[in-house]
């Protein structure tokens, strides 16, 4: 038997989650059965969408169960295998995060190539966050040559990739929104944005108008609320908006108010299209093939915010919701067999 620690959800948050909603539990795992593998997780991801899964409400993905381990993306080393296709020593990505060890069917894991990127990269730029940026700006709200692109949560996991990708796709100007002078400086100095808006200063429409006096063509929306309203107010005829998240309302106990200027989108024939990254997994090979080279030659710059140890996982997740991270928030796991 393998002893492992994992994080359980023990109560459903009302409003913002608190540390008391989570519990660190020690458990014993059986040896893998036929066709299964045992993985020692080395990195796990915490992401804003997980907040929605903590509510017992219908959605595009099932809610987390109370009294059971949470789940999410992780990478780790295979330490026992009863599946010929996934040998001991392989590095794999899978969806049983929030724990130090995981037993799973080999078919639910993907062997990753650590010769082209680090294991942690497969949770960030080469994972679903990088894929979200790629799918949003090539399929959902495709960037065209000369476009002016606006990205919200631009210093986060998706946004920090999206700004650089927009430039690769031909954008003439890329504008990002983030919270506070430290993050807005990162947008300009590290992530290649042309202009940075500090949403904590207020007057988002005014700041956007100053950054894009002739308007915007594409908006990647991870925030909703005031950001979506400002983008609709600035979008040019034929503009495209990819709606990938609405973190401003994730902890709301009442329905968040929607933009009151939606008719502007109608009269300008703007496309507002929702996006689930799970609908674009077919793009993974294409994206990894492209992004791995950009990472290797330094064209694609990334940052991570790291919390050490499974016992810090809940705090790391709460930090994502409060904007404590720059780039991808990851938990580094140090379990020993």
């Amino acid at each position: 038997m393998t002893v492992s620690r994992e994080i359980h959800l023990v109560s459903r948050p009302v409003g913002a989650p608190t540390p008391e909603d989570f519990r660190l539990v020690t458990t014993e795992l059986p040896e893998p059965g036929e066709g299964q593998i045992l993985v020692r997780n080395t990195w796990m991801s915490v992401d804003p969408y997980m907040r929605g899964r903590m509510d017992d409400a219908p959605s595009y993905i099932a809610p987390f169960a109370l009294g059971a381990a949470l789940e999410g993306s992780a990478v780790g080393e295979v330490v026992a295998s009863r599946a010929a296709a996934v040998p001991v020593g392989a590095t794999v990505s899978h969806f049983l995060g929030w724990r130090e060890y995981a037993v799973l069917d080999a078919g639910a894991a993907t062997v990753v190539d650590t010769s082209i990127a680090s294991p942690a990269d497969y949770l960030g730029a080469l994972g679903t966050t990088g894929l979200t940026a790629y799918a949003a700006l090539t399929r959902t709200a495709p960037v065209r040559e000369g476009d002016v692109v606006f990205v919200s949560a631009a210093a986060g996991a998706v946004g920090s990739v999206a700004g650089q990708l927009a430039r690769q796709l031909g954008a003439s100007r890329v504008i990002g929104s983030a919270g506070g002078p430290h993050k807005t400086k990162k947008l300009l100095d590290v992530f290649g944005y042309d202009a940075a808006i500090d949403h904590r200063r207020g007057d988002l429409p005014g700041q956007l108008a100053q950054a894009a006096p002739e308007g915007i063509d594409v908006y990647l929306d991870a925030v909703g609320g005031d950001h979506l309203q400002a983008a609709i107010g600035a979008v040019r005829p034929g503009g495209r908006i990819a709606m990938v998240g609405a973190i401003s309302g994730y902890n709301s106990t009442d329905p968040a108010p929607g933009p009151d200027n939606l008719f502007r989108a109608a009269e300008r024939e703007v496309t507002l299209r929702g996006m689930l990254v799970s609908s674009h997994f077919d793009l993974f090979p294409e994206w990894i093939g492209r992004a791995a080279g950009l990472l290797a030659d330094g064209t694609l710059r990334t940052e991570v915010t790291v919390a050490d140890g499974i016992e810090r996982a809940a705090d790391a997740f709460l930090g994502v919701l409060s904007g404590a991270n720059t780039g991808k928030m990851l938990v580094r796991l140090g379990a020993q067999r």
Side-chain angles (χ1 to χ4, degrees):
M1 303 289 283
T2 299
V3 176
S4 177
R5 294 183 298 167
E6 57 191 32
I7 302 294
H8 287 199
L9 183 69
V10 294
S11 57
R12 300 205 182 277
V14 178
T18 69
E20 289 70 34
D21 295 317
F22 307 89
R23 181 175 298 150
L24 180 63
V25 175
T26 299
T27 187
E28 291 186 344
L29 298 180
E31 294 302 308
E34 186 65 32
Q36 292 188 317
I37 56 175
L38 172 65
V39 180
R40 179 178 66 84
N41 287 336
T42 53
W43 295 91
M44 57 163 275
S45 176
V46 288
D47 302 286
Y49 82 88
M50 293 175 175
R51 174 60 187 88
R53 296 194 66 188
M54 294 175 185
D55 296 331
D56 188 9
S59 186
Y60 65 92
I61 189 170
F64 291 126
L66 289 179
L70 291 91
E71 60 184 17
S73 296
V75 294
E77 179 188 357
V78 177
V79 294
S81 174
R82 295 189 63 189
V86 187
V88 170
T91 299
V92 297
S93 64
H94 60 89
F95 205 61
L96 290 183
W98 292 87
R99 64 203 83 193
E100 293 175 316
Y101 286 86
V103 173
L104 64 152
D105 292 340
T110 300
V111 176
V112 299
D113 185 352
T114 57
S115 71
I116 62 171
S118 73
D121 285 328
Y122 287 93
L123 295 178
L126 301 187
T128 55
T129 48
L131 181 65
T132 296
Y134 186 62
L137 298 181
T138 59
R139 279 185 174 173
T140 308
V143 174
R144 300 168 185 159
E145 193 73 29
D147 278 348
V148 176
V149 177
F150 175 41
V151 178
S152 61
V158 174
S160 58
V161 173
Q164 298 171 79
L165 179 59
R167 177 82 68 219
Q168 292 276 327
L169 295 171
S172 62
R173 184 167 175 77
V174 186
I175 303 156
S177 170
H182 174 73
K183 288 188 176 182
T184 52
K185 188 173 188 301
K186 288 275 188 182
L187 297 187
L188 301 173
D189 296 348
V190 177
F191 301 133
Y193 280 85
D194 297 298
I197 292 170
D198 182 354
H199 64 78
R200 293 179 182 172
R201 289 176 47 209
D203 188 21
L204 197 61
Q207 290 192 69
L208 184 55
Q210 184 174 5
E214 297 182 4
I216 63 173
D217 301 289
V218 171
Y219 171 50
L220 194 158
D221 184 26
V223 175
D226 60 346
H227 278 70
L228 181 55
Q229 172 134 348
I232 291 172
V235 72
R236 296 197 280 220
R240 286 87 64 206
I241 297 176
M243 304 170 70
V244 303
I247 195 171
S248 66
Y250 285 173
N251 289 328
S252 298
T253 55
D254 297 315
D260 62 12
N261 59 346
L262 279 173
F263 184 70
R264 184 181 182 88
E267 67 183 6
R268 296 193 168 202
E269 297 185 304
V270 173
T271 300
L272 292 87
R273 186 177 178 190
M275 192 200 112
L276 298 177
V277 70
S278 56
S279 297
H280 302 277
F281 283 169
D282 63 297
L283 284 177
F284 248 137
E286 177 182 320
W287 169 239
I288 290 175
R290 178 172 187 160
L294 298 176
L295 279 174
D297 67 15
T299 302
L300 178 59
R301 303 180 67 182
T302 62
E303 289 199 11
V304 295
T305 303
V306 177
D308 278 300
I310 189 69
E311 63 276 8
R312 295 283 312 283
D315 289 339
F317 171 69
L318 298 180
V320 167
L321 296 182
S322 65
N325 59 301
T326 299
K328 180 71 178 176
M329 176 71 87
L330 294 176
V331 180
R332 180 165 43 203
L333 302 174
Q336 299 297 319
R337 198 175 183 190

